[in-house]
Amino acid sequence: MDQQSAKVILDGNTYELPVIVGTEGEKGIDISKLRTLTNYVTFDQGFGNTSNCKSAITYLDGEAGILRYRGYPIEQLAEHAGFVEIAYLLIYGDLPTAEQFKNFSETFTEHSTLHEDMKHLFDGFPTRAHPMAILASVVCALSTYYPGIDSAALSTEEFDRVAVQLMSKIRTIAAFAYKKSIGEPFVYPRHDLEYVPNFLNMMFSNPSRPYKIYDEVSKALKVLLILHADHEQNCSTSTVRLVGSAHSNLFASVSAGICALWGPLHGGANEAVIEMLEAIQKEDSNVDKCLEMAKDKTNPFRLMGIGHRVYKSYDPRAKIIKECAHDILQKLGINDPLLDIALKVEKKVLADSYFVDRNLYPNVDFYSGIIYKALGIPRNMFTVMFAIGRMPGWIAHWKEMMDNPGRKIGRPRQIYVGHNKRDYLSINKR
Ligand code: CMC
């Protein structure tokens, strides 16, 4: 194999396939002509080795624990940037100038309210509805209240408006979903507040109890949103791309992404981690028992918040979140025993050959729930927080795909393993 091509030998014939090299030296074999040339397809369950696109949004090296948005290291962004600034960076490719940032922020404010009729949608859900179900439904329903957003025909200005509408309204929808679940009146967005404090105010203030917005709380939530803002071709982002590849509109595509994120193997893990830590606490903090269950191949239980498809070293986001958890608990004067249990689980995982041999480390969801809990965010809203954070990433990927003139509808192949041809028998002859 030379540097620019790969040779595949099938049935005695040699085929040459081009090699694609990314800007960070990642190499991929372009198999797009493989079936036409050879009649073979590739088999890759879970797409562990398959790139579906070239992307310039996020770079991630799972072996080295590197994550960068548009080239900027995640550590620098989490420390110094704002969430709206990061949204601009991800969607448009560069950090905004002061003027661009001002215009972008102003349109956020402009689009933060929901169409009044949309409030009735929330009444249609049972009180105990999971907010992720409400979020996915209401985001999809945006396309009925703000029509004329057919993706294939969107102009640049229309895309800008739809993207900001979605980014801005998602936090209003999320806060309304929460208010609905606790039977309190909706709190409308305020034009004098920035993105994160505005959201916190909609979540936690009510007519009889004004909410004091602490800078520490806003900062901790901002860091979490930035850390969740993109993670290249993860399950929900791939879903957004796949749905969008059929030219479904942005609202519908993102709604599908929200559903994918809800699963406990993906964004839903943050909720499951707290449940797991509480279960350990109930068992007299017996961490060993939990680890044994996770290692037992006859038991489907897994340690939640541990392991990652791409990271085979410590998830750089988890590193920042762990520090942030210590920091915010200390600042708020909270002593959460779940943090001690989590630290104990991590220590044992990092020293246990089962987890070490499989390169299993804490991921982004392992410590995030402890922070959300400290901020007063209820457990069923944890994955909603993830969704608000991931919104710029989903929008950026949808845009990148739609801007690619060579895009194709997503349509994987399969290897059929069912029955060979057989003839139909009417029901009384079976
Ligand atoms: N506990 C116990 N064993 C595990 C775990 C775990 N959390 N994760 C992976 N393994 C084992 C797995 O059983 C397998 O063992 P073996 O080789 O003996 O069959 C090996 O490690 C490889 O696992 P895999 O399932 O082939 O790996 P994957 O890349 O398909 O799955 C994962 C990645 C994240 C779904 C998985 O690690 C997992 O289920 N983790 C727990 C759920 C979780 O925390 N999810 C959040 C992921 S990060 C945020 C996000 O993406 O939203």
Side-chain angles (χ1 to χ4, degrees), residues 84 105 108-109 112 171 187-202 205 211 213 218:
V84 174
S105 304
F108 263 68
T109 310
S112 57
R171 83 199 138 153
V187 175
Y188 283 66
R190 271 175 42 187
H191 285 190
D192 58 321
L193 292 177
E194 287 181 2
Y195 191 91
V196 174
N198 208 347
F199 170 70
L200 288 167
N201 186 61
M202 283 192 275
S205 68
Y211 174 71
I213 302 160
S218 293

Side-chain angles (χ1 to χ4, degrees), residues 75-86 95 222-223 226:
E75 294 78 8
Q76 292 179 20
L77 299 178
E79 177 71 23
H80 303 294
F83 180 60
V84 174
E85 198 184 358
I86 293 303
L95 288 167
K222 177 217 80 162
V223 169
I226 290 177

